[in-house]
Amino acid sequence: MSILAIPDIHGYRSELDRVLAVADAQRGPEAKIVFLGDLTDRGPDSRGVIQTIIEGIEAGRDWIVVRGNHDQMFLDFLRDPGPGARWMNGNIGGTETMISYGAGEAMAQRAWRAAADCVPEAHRDFLESLPFYHETDAQFFVHAGIRPGVPLGAQDEHDLLWIRDEFHEDGRDHGKLIVHGHTPVERPRHYGNRVNLDAGAGFGRPLCLAEIDGRDAWLLTGAGRVPLEP
């Protein structure tokens, strides 16, 4: 049975709504969807993205969400908002996330605890509950990737959230198809041993929707399936 996958959303709720509409139209509301993490940061409506997914799961949708590094940074801020405020620096995107929760005034006053308190408890609990990967008989869905040569069940959580070059440059078979995001590419690609679905939605490019069946992968569009090429 095929599985749909949605990579890094980065706070773009309008793009999430669009691809969910495609998923419903092409595969129906009963389709299993795995979200590859980085729900938050950079885009204008991280709160809306999280709320949409929470409501879908509560409505009985077969949705699984794995944790991304940006979700982890958001959670770290909520746990300890003083040191965690570093997440709002530069282009990381935490500022946009907190603005979506109405925390602008507290942020202007550098009242980090008050800013963190703007986030509903249900959203905190949701972030705390996110697993670091989802595994099937044929695939391993994860945010960033894996450490090559390490058994899938023994992976370090930091690698699952952050790894790049050591994973990308290793062409060996990992036992299962690794389906990931995290590192933006010009277009989603199938590398044989892994599939990278992050096409840069966090930088304003269209969010993609993929269908995975065994080791095969397609982009799922309003017009149907398009094979995912190397």
Side-chain angles (χ1 to χ4, degrees):
M1 185 176 180
S2 66
I3 298 175
L4 305 186
I6 296 176
D8 314 48
I9 303 164
H10 279 298
Y12 284 94
R13 182 183 177 183
S14 60
E15 279 297 292
L16 173 61
D17 291 343
R18 179 183 63 80
V19 298
L20 287 176
V22 171
D24 282 355
Q26 293 290 328
R27 295 295 178 265
E30 69 281 358
K32 177 185 285 291
I33 300 179
V34 178
F35 297 82
L36 299 177
D38 278 9
L39 310 179
T40 65
D41 299 349
R42 298 194 178 117
D45 196 7
S46 291
R47 177 175 185 153
V49 168
I50 290 178
Q51 187 62 33
T52 294
I53 295 175
I54 288 175
E55 290 176 359
I57 293 170
E58 289 178 344
R61 295 292 194 114
D62 191 1
W63 291 357
I64 296 166
V65 186
V66 302
R67 188 179 306 211
N69 62 306
H70 282 262
D71 310 316
Q72 184 65 55
M73 288 187 284
F74 184 19
L75 185 57
D76 291 343
F77 171 76
L78 297 177
R79 289 169 174 168
D80 194 349
R86 293 191 300 269
W87 158 70
M88 289 187 278
N89 294 337
N91 73 341
I92 296 175
T95 295
E96 291 86 346
T97 293
M98 293 312 300
I99 288 172
S100 78
Y101 282 95
E105 183 176 345
M107 290 162 57
Q109 298 171 357
R110 302 179 70 84
W112 305 126
R113 182 71 268 165
D117 287 345
C118 292
V119 178
E121 195 67 31
H123 287 210
R124 297 165 180 261
D125 292 345
F126 172 74
L127 291 168
E128 292 277 9
S129 75
L130 296 181
F132 289 88
Y133 63 87
H134 174 67
E135 189 172 9
T136 71
D137 289 342
Q139 306 102 12
F140 191 87
F141 294 87
V142 64
H143 176 63
I146 63 162
R147 176 73 56 179
V150 176
L152 295 179
Q155 292 287 322
D156 181 85
E157 292 174 354
H158 185 272
D159 285 335
L160 299 175
L161 295 176
W162 290 96
I163 199 166
R164 293 190 196 273
D165 292 346
E166 302 95 322
F167 169 55
H168 298 162
E169 294 169 2
D170 196 296
R172 80 185 84 175
D173 184 86
H174 303 300
K176 298 184 179 185
L177 180 69
I178 311 299
V179 183
H180 69 96
H182 182 56
T183 301
V185 287
E186 228 175 85
R187 59 179 175 81
R189 294 182 65 183
H190 196 317
Y191 296 86
N193 62 348
R194 65 184 179 92
V195 169
N196 184 356
L197 296 178
D198 184 0
F203 300 100
R205 303 208 293 264
L207 183 64
C208 74
L209 171 69
E211 183 169 5
I212 314 293
D213 191 351
R215 292 205 169 219
D216 296 322
W218 301 262
L219 289 180
L220 192 60
T221 72
R225 296 197 311 187
V226 178
L228 200 55
E229 302 293 342

